[in-house]
Amino acid sequence: MNRRFTTLLSIPFLSLSVSTAALAAEEDNAPGAMCVGVGHDLRVNAQGQAENPQAVAVTAICPSERRLINGSFATRFSATVWVSDQSTQLSACCRAVSRVPNGASVVESPWSCTSTTGTSSNTQLTIQEITDGWTFAHFYIQCVVPPVEAGKTSRILTFRSTQS
């Protein structure tokens, strides 16, 4: 009788444990050096940051490997990006993007941008979550990095991807 009672008590705990794991989000940090420029090069500095030495703003793509969580691909993606915006003319802006390989389906968050004070050494941009259920879509962060101004370069310091 005690054996049967013990077995019945352990089933709800097993259920609770499995459902709690399904709610977990996965995060990872990556250096700005992982970002690549579109049409113009970004320069990687000794701190692993991607900086824009160009006289024009550069669009950067910062990849995030889509995660398998509990056997299924993540469907929600958000991010935090730390930037140094040295421009008094343009803001550094970033957004989350999900795209299928042929480009037919695109999901984009609104842009998150810095102010244009030109004195930012470390600004945190919180990127709004997007949802995409296509299993073959990929996630990335798209940023616009302002041009060099008065010898100072704006740069992407690091970024954190959050998936669930």
Side-chain angles (χ1 to χ4, degrees), residues 3-27:
R3 182 179 287 164
R4 176 184 265 173
F5 184 69
T6 303
T7 303
L8 290 175
L9 283 179
S10 66
I11 290 172
F13 294 115
L14 179 61
S15 259
L16 180 63
S17 174
V18 171
S19 65
T20 302
L23 300 175
E26 290 199 15
E27 294 184 323

Side-chain angles (χ1 to χ4, degrees), residues 44-99:
V44 176
N45 66 23
Q47 291 79 38
Q49 303 164 350
E51 58 187 10
N52 181 9
Q54 311 294 330
V56 296
V58 172
T59 297
I61 302 297
C62 307
S64 180
E65 184 177 333
R66 190 156 180 199
R67 304 286 184 201
L68 272 174
I69 302 174
N70 297 326
S72 298
F73 280 107
T75 58
R76 295 188 311 249
F77 174 61
S78 62
T80 305
V81 182
W82 287 267
V83 298
S84 176
D85 179 359
Q86 300 298 319
S87 177
T88 59
Q89 308 283 320
L90 295 172
S91 297
C93 297
C94 298
R95 67 180 173 183
V97 179
S98 177
R99 183 179 303 272

